[in-house]
């Protein structure tokens, strides 16, 4: 027997010893013999004694006397004395004179007769102890025959006490004795209920119970404060011995979930002391409520098999991978805690029930890490985002300034700040994790900005939130204004672009200006001043009272472009004076580039909002832009040929002036004149290698028509880059007098994989997702299953549907479908 078991066995023996309150009447191993007079005169009020009245010549009494004598010590532990009363031959009293009386044993409390026992019912020590204690505890231990009787007792104690319900095939057995001994010790703490009815055992919910074996159920009625709420029942899987019952009651009395704020290596609970493992659910403050419910769900499933603790990463510095979400501590000394990344609570239950599962999971994670290392060592990755995330996966992100939202906190969080930025992402998906890194940098830039709150929703943990917000692709960023109007971000994911979008969305778009001075200041970039570093071109719509239709379209266009541009609107009575200054007639658009140094007036001939959006986006494009990865999509959307100058560094002032003159010419609006710095944008070298076998000497001017034939023409290197030379060369191209240097493939530029509706995938994959607070969702609901083994949790159908989430949430990214994540595109 282990040292731990020896300690608590000794403690229990001491408990039983303390229960005895009667001084012994001689040796614990000898049956005391008294005369009737001496026996009745020795009886004390409140003290119990078992007496057998006998004549010397009583036939067949010797086997019974042996069992009575063997019971002396056991009954004395409970303060019950055992006496053989020797009846004189001439005694004709009730207990000595009648022949039937000599075939019985009598239980007295003081001088009051409690119970008569036929001697054949006390056939061994177990029967003696069980029947005597059952008689003494008759008012404390309820005997029931039907399920209705049991439910009535449950209803009577709900909210006040728990019930220990025992089934024994027959009274007087060793199991019956163990239950009675436990009731003698714990009867003031729990309500004990006994039955010998096999039908009742079946009615309690046990599937095909073995009615030949005794069973014990612990009914958690103290937690059920509502009469309509049934008591959970946890079965004891071990044999009904006093030691096992004591152990089971100790486990049932322990906290369901222990909250830990210290090194888990130093944690000790009753489960570890009793030789059971302890499961830690790793959590953080943002998801505490959900993690607490998950821990409670796991604890109910493992009740009697393992303990469950909630370990906060915020309070304990753990030197483990961020993706680890479960830890397992065994009672074996010297065995280190194992930190694992599990997908759901079913795996936790399997982990406890199947010890070999720990090694399997660890081996799987080691193989996965080795595979990732091999992939990272390859020269070429199918997905550069996955490669970058995998290479940097062990760097923990500073997420302190980004609030993690759940189903419970989402809507309330939107009301706390003037504007709430929400990143909807999936914690196992590479692009989401890459964007999350940019998002942390945005949070650092905007730290202390009033009225702006940055938060995030892990759609793999909270699909209900993402479904209601119409988020079907990851990642998605939305900005909510006091929980009402929302704007979707559709730009680049870089830190600078994200920050600019968030800051620009703080200002009304369009911003309504009240005076001409405000309008003039706005064109100079003076209003609002806090956004001066986030925009370069100001747009001002000027309207008269007669152009209300155009003004409404302009306002709608502003709501579409909110966060991307700054737009002002002036429609006061003196709007004509402002428009005359810039030689336009309302409705008109004034564009102020470079802080108002030049203002360009454009007539608003288009009346629809979508036409205005397209026109504004076009007018905002630079006349001679530097092409970068960030702005290339805007110019590709124009579907025009590119006249692009590749340079190794900044272009010369002469080349810049000549190209700018070329771009400003109205006839030249048929193409995009631009340049690319291969030092600043290294991908330009790869582009040139696609056009030519080797990178030509720079600078080099090219004509590329991506949308019609894909032909690439190279400007003659011997000619200087001037407006006249370029126009002459373009005329030759138009006339078909130049031979292309190369022709691009006609293959469409498409993503390597089609887009997935991830939320739909999660709903149809039959994953056991969180369901307790999801209103209006209709994914398949999966009731908790009996974890099997020796612990049975009986629940009603309503309880099963409403059980807290079975997913493991919190700080660790979800790893469901990780076998898909780890595959290369070619394998998919």
């Amino acid at each position: 027997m282990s040292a731990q078991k020896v300690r608590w066995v000794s403690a229990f023996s001491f408990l039983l010893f303390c229960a005895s309150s009667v001084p012994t009447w001689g040796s614990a191993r000898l049956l005391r013999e008294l005369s009737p007079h001496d026996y009745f005169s020795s009886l004390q009020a409140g003290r119990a004694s078992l007496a057998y009245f006998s004549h010397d010549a009583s036939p067949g009494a010797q086997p019974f006397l042996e069992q009575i004598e063997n019971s002396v010590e056991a009954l004395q532990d409970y303060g019950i004395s055992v006496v053989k009363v020797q009846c004189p031959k001439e005694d004709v009293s009730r207990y000595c004179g009648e022949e039937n009386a000599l075939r019985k044993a009598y239980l007295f409390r003081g001088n009051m007769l409690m119970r008569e026992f036929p001697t054949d019912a006390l056939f061994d020590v177990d029967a003696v102890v069980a029947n005597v204690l059952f008689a003494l505890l008759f008012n404390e231990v309820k005997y029931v025959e039907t399920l209705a009787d049991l439910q009535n007792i449950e209803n009577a104690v709900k909210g006040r006490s728990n019930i220990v319900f025992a089934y024994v095939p027959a009274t007087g057995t060793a199991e019956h004795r163990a239950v009675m001994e436990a009731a003698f010790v714990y009867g003031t703490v729990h309500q004990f209920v006994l039955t010998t009815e096999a039908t009742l055992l079946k009615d309690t919910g046990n599937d095909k119970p073995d009615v030949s074996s005794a069973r014990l159920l612990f009914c958690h009625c103290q937690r059920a404060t509502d009469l309509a709420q049934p008591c959970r029942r946890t079965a004891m899987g071990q044999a009904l011995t006093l030691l096992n019952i004591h152990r089971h009651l100790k486990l049932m009395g322990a906290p369901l979930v222990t909250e830990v704020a210290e090194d888990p290596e130093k944690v000790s609970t009753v489960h570890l002391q009793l030789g059971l493992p302890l499961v830690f659910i790793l959590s953080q403050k943002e998801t505490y409520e959900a993690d607490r419910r998950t821990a409670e769900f796991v604890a109910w499933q493992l009740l009697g098999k393992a303990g469950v603790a909630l370990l906060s990463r915020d309070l304990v510095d753990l030197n483990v991978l961020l993706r680890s979400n479960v830890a397992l501590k065994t009672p074996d000394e010297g065995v280190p805690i194992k930190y694992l990344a599990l997908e759901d609570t079913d795996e936790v239950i399997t982990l406890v029930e199947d010890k070999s599962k720990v090694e399997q999971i660890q081996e799987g994670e080691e193989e996965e890490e080795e595979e990732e290392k091999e992939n990272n060592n390859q020269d070429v990755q199918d997905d550069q985002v996955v490669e970058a995330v995998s290479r940097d996966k062990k760097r923990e992100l500073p997420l302190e300034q980004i609030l993690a939202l759940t189903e419970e906190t989402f809507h309330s969080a939107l009301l706390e700040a003037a504007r709430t930025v929400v990143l909807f992402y999936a914690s196992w998906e590479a692009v989401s994790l890459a964007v999350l890194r940019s998002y942390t940098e945005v949070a650092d830039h905007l730290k202390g900005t009033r009225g702006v709150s940055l938060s995030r929703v892990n759609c793999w943990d909270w699909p209900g939130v993402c479904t209601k917000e119409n988020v079907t692709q990851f990642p998605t960023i939305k900005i909510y204004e006091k929980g009402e109007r929302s704007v979707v971000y559709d730009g680049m994911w870089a830190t600078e672009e994200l920050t600019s979008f968030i800051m620009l969305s703080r200002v009304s778009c369009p911003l309504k200006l009240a005076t001409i001075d405000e309008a003039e200041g706005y064109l100079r970039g003076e209003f609002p001043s806090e956004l001066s570093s986030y925009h370069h071109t100001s747009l001002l719509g000027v309207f008269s009272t007669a152009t209300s239709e155009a003004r409404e379209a302009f306002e709608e266009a502003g709501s579409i472009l909110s966060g991307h541009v700054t737009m002002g609107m002036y429609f006061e009575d003196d709007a004509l004076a402002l428009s005359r200054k810039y030689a336009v007639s309302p409705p008109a658009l004034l564009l102020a580039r470079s802080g108002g140094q030049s203002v360009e007036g454009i007539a608003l001939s288009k009346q629809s909002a979508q036409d205005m959006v397209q026109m504004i986006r076009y007018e905002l494009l630079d006349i001679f832009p530097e092409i970068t990865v960030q702005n290339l999509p805007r110019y590709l959307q124009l579907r025009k040929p590119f006249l692009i100058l590749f340079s190794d560094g900044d272009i010369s002032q002469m080349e810049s002036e000549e190209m700018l003159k070329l771009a400003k010419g109205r006839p030249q609006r048929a193409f995009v004149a631009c340049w690319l710095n291969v030092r600043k944008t290294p991908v330009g070298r790869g582009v040139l290698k696609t056009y030519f076998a080797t990178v030509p000497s720079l600078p080099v001017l090219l004509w590329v028509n991506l949308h019609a034939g894909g032909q690439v023409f190279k400007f003659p290197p011997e000619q200087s880059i001037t407006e006249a030379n370029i126009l002459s060369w373009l005329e030759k191209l138009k006339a078909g007098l130049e031979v292309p240097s190369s022709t691009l493939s006609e293959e469409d530029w498409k993503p390597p994989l089609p887009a997935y509706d991830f939320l739909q995938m999660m709903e149809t994959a039959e994953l056991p997702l969180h369901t307790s607070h999801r209103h209006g969702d209709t994914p398949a609901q999966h009731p908790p299953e009996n974890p099997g083994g020796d612990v049975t949790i009986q629940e009603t159908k309503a309880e099963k549907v409403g059980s807290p989430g079975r997913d493991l949430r919190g700080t660790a990214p979800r790893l469901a479908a990780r076998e898909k994540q780890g595959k290369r595109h070619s394998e998919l």
Side-chain angles (χ1 to χ4, degrees), residues 317-486:
D317 185 17
L318 296 176
N319 186 24
V320 296
L321 290 176
L322 183 62
R323 70 178 184 177
S324 299
N325 52 9
V326 171
L328 181 66
K329 183 176 183 178
T330 63
D332 304 321
E333 295 184 5
V335 177
I337 293 179
K338 296 179 175 64
Y339 292 90
L340 306 166
L342 304 184
E343 296 180 14
D344 53 39
T345 54
D346 287 340
E347 286 201 353
V348 182
I349 295 166
T350 304
L351 186 71
V352 172
E353 295 177 347
D354 185 1
K355 294 182 180 179
S356 64
K357 188 69 175 178
V358 181
E359 287 72 19
Q360 293 176 13
I361 293 176
Q362 286 189 318
E363 290 175 2
E365 290 184 344
E366 291 173 0
E367 291 176 0
E368 185 178 332
E369 290 182 2
E370 288 297 325
E371 184 178 346
E372 289 177 354
K373 289 179 181 178
E374 291 179 6
N375 289 339
N376 288 339
N377 291 332
Q378 295 175 2
D379 294 332
V380 179
Q381 285 285 332
D382 286 339
D383 192 326
Q384 294 179 349
V385 177
V386 173
E387 179 186 20
V389 171
S390 177
R391 185 182 299 117
D392 203 23
K393 67 178 181 180
K394 292 190 177 181
R395 181 170 68 90
E396 195 162 326
L397 297 177
L399 300 173
E400 299 82 9
Q401 300 177 55
I402 303 174
L403 182 63
L405 302 182
T406 67
E407 286 183 341
E408 290 79 7
T409 62
F410 181 78
H411 294 290
S412 59
L414 299 185
L415 301 176
E416 292 179 359
R419 279 172 179 79
T420 303
V421 186
V422 183
L423 169 64
F424 298 90
Y425 70 104
S427 55
W428 54 266
E429 194 257 335
V431 177
S432 290
L433 296 180
V435 172
L436 190 57
R437 291 175 187 170
S438 298
Y439 200 54
T440 59
E441 295 173 0
V442 173
D444 187 58
H445 285 308
L446 300 182
K447 185 178 181 181
T449 303
R450 297 183 61 184
V452 177
S453 173
L454 266 65
S455 56
R456 56 191 169 96
V457 174
N458 187 350
C459 291
W460 190 247
D461 280 342
W462 308 108
V465 175
C466 301
T467 299
K468 291 174 184 176
E469 298 304 311
N470 197 30
V471 175
T472 58
Q473 62 182 15
F474 308 133
T476 293
I477 285 182
K478 286 189 174 186
I479 298 182
Y480 295 83
E481 185 175 346
K482 273 296 180 183
E484 298 176 358
R485 186 180 71 94
S486 64

Side-chain angles (χ1 to χ4, degrees), residues 55-94:
H55 291 290
D56 287 337
S58 298
Q62 189 58 36
F64 170 72
L65 289 175
E66 290 177 0
Q67 299 303 324
I68 285 291
E69 186 168 3
N70 292 336
S71 305
V72 171
E73 185 177 9
L75 290 177
Q76 281 183 348
D77 286 336
Y78 300 98
I80 303 168
S81 60
V82 183
V83 178
K84 175 186 176 184
V85 180
Q86 190 67 39
C87 294
K89 292 182 180 180
E90 65 279 4
D91 192 339
V92 293
S93 64
R94 173 186 174 184

Side-chain angles (χ1 to χ4, degrees), residues 28 53 137 152 251 360 443 463 565 598 640 676 710 749 755 765:
F53 293 83
L137 300 174
N152 289 336
L251 292 172
Q360 293 176 13
V565 299
S598 63
K640 296 180 179 180
L676 189 148
W749 294 1

Side-chain angles (χ1 to χ4, degrees), residues 687-692 703-712 740-747 749:
V687 172
L688 289 173
K689 286 182 180 180
T690 302
Y691 294 164
F692 308 100
W703 172 274
V704 184
N705 194 343
L706 298 173
H707 307 287
Q711 294 179 327
V712 179
S741 301
S742 62
T743 301
L744 302 179
S745 170
E746 295 182 0
E747 182 181 357
W749 294 1

